[in-house]
Every structure is written in structure tokens, then in C-alpha cells.
Amino acid sequence: MFRQLSERFGHPLAMAILTLLGMWLIVMVTLPQLQMIDYSFRPNLLPAQRGGPEDGWTLGNYVTLFDNEIHRAIFFKTLWSSVLVTLLTLVVSYPLAYYLAKVATPRQAALCILLLIIPFWINEILRTYSWFIILAFRGPLNEILLALGLIERPIRFLSGDAGVMVGMVYAYILFMVFPLYNAIESLDDNQIRAARDLGAGSIRTHRRIVIPHAKPGIATGCIMTFMLAAGSYAVPALLGSPGSRWFTQIIYNWFFEGGNWNQGAAYAFLLLVLCIGFMSLVMKFFKVGLGDIAK
């Protein structure tokens, strides 16, 4: 990496870039994570008790999760719900990415990408709140369905997890579409034509040609979408009901309402381990490495 940067920018500038990158990784990534881990293994003590005999590493903060039935249920519910959000986003994004990469003309593709990006110029909270208005009990969606005669009475879309799922798929669709688009765009069109000339239908062509080639993009999109969904706070807070709480809301409560940073750090570290484990499983399932994903 240093040699490539030196050839492009020169030795001094390459050294400066790597130094700034290293400082950023240490100060903004490594040190906060290490501090969070240290917090998670220490009890929540008064300032006068810190440094005393009770101030030592303990697993008590982690045991709390497994002793608390409600928190444990929310933890596993967040896991499966994040997986479901990832699968739904993949199902929605794959046809769109294929259309952009192989079907649409350059002008059509540019217009579609622009239409996808423009809503993301708005803050995530405002975009999420717009779905709150759309899915409300007397919101536009219910009014349209009532006017068309498809339903007899308004539906409470925000009473369960449905609103959260819709909001998350919308919020993170770009993180799935663009990796898929980049992977599919690099596929040689002659391979698709050859498969069709040999009698393969659309489903078989995608299963045998397109999807295997797009594995790095699928893996990247799934990892990014899952991690964003599992770590989301705004979407479940705005679109979720009291019975559809997310694990990040529990972490927020420990930090800012309960004032127990040590317990919150333990829960946050468990969520981080969950995301790393999911990333490893996806990479193993699709048989890709970090180098493939980085492309």
C-alpha cells in the first residue's frame, strides 16, 4: 500500500497519508473500543469507590443480560429481525441492481441512481418520520387503501414490527444496491448471452452465472445492512411500538436514563461481537475474504 501511494503521490505525501490514517484508526476506532471493553468489565461504582477494592474486572455486567429475561428476548429478537431486514433488503435490491447494471441505458441508470440518492440528502430522522406519517392509523396509506376499497377499516401498521421493517429496508437500501450494482456491472455480458444461447432461462442464468459472480457484492451488502439494522436506534424508536423494542434502545436506556455506563458498555460490546460473528458467517457462507469485499 505504501509503495502504491508513493508511486502516485510521492514519498512524503504517502507517509503523511498513512500517518493520518493510523492516527485516525487509533484515536477514533481502537481507543474508544478498548475503553468500552474496559468499562464493560467493571462494576458501576460511585466516584469515591473507584480505584478501591471493589473496582476490579467482573463478568457481572454480562451476566445481567442472561439473567434478565426481557433483555435476553429483545437481544435475540433484534438478531433475527436484523437478519430478516437484511434478506428483505436483498430481495428488493437485487432486481434493481441488475436492472441498473445490465438492462437500463446509461441515461436511465443515471436517473434511477439520482432518484435513489436524492431522498438521502435529508436527515435519517426526517426520512424515518415521513414513514411514520405514511403508515399512521389515519395516514395516507390507509386513506388510499380505504378509497380503493381494499380494506374496510384502517390498519395499525405501527402496532408491531411491520413499520420498523419497512423503515429499515428503505433506510439501508443504498447499502445493498450499490455493492450489488458494482459486482454485477463487472460481469461480462457475453456470459449471459452464452447462457441464453445454450437454452438457460432467466432463473437458471441468475442462479448459475449472475449470483455466483455477484457473491462479493451480496456479502458486502448483507454485512453492511445487518450491522446498520442491528445498530439502528432512530428507526425502531420512531416506527416501533412498545412491544417491538430494539436492543439499541436498551443500550441507550442504560447509558442515558439509567446512568450505568458499565452495563451499557457490556451490552454494546455484546452487540459488536454479534455483528462481527455475523460478518464472519456471511464471509464463510459466500466463501469470500476481506480482499474480495474490499473490491
Side-chain angles (χ1 to χ4, degrees), residues 170-185:
Y170 171 75
Y172 307 129
I173 189 171
L174 288 187
F175 297 94
M176 183 71 75
V177 168
F178 285 145
L180 286 173
Y181 170 76
N182 290 333
I184 296 174
E185 188 183 33

Side-chain angles (χ1 to χ4, degrees), residues 236 281 285:
L281 287 175
F285 179 79

Side-chain angles (χ1 to χ4, degrees), residues 8 11 33 55 64 106 121 140 144 146 150 158 161 169 177 207 218 225 229 251 261 269 271 279:
R8 185 171 183 179
H11 185 81
Q33 296 296 333
D55 191 6
T64 301
W121 293 352
I144 292 173
L146 287 170
L150 299 177
L158 300 177
D161 293 327
V169 171
V177 168
R207 182 169 60 87
I218 296 174
T225 304
I251 296 174
W261 284 40
F269 183 65
L271 185 62
M279 181 178 69

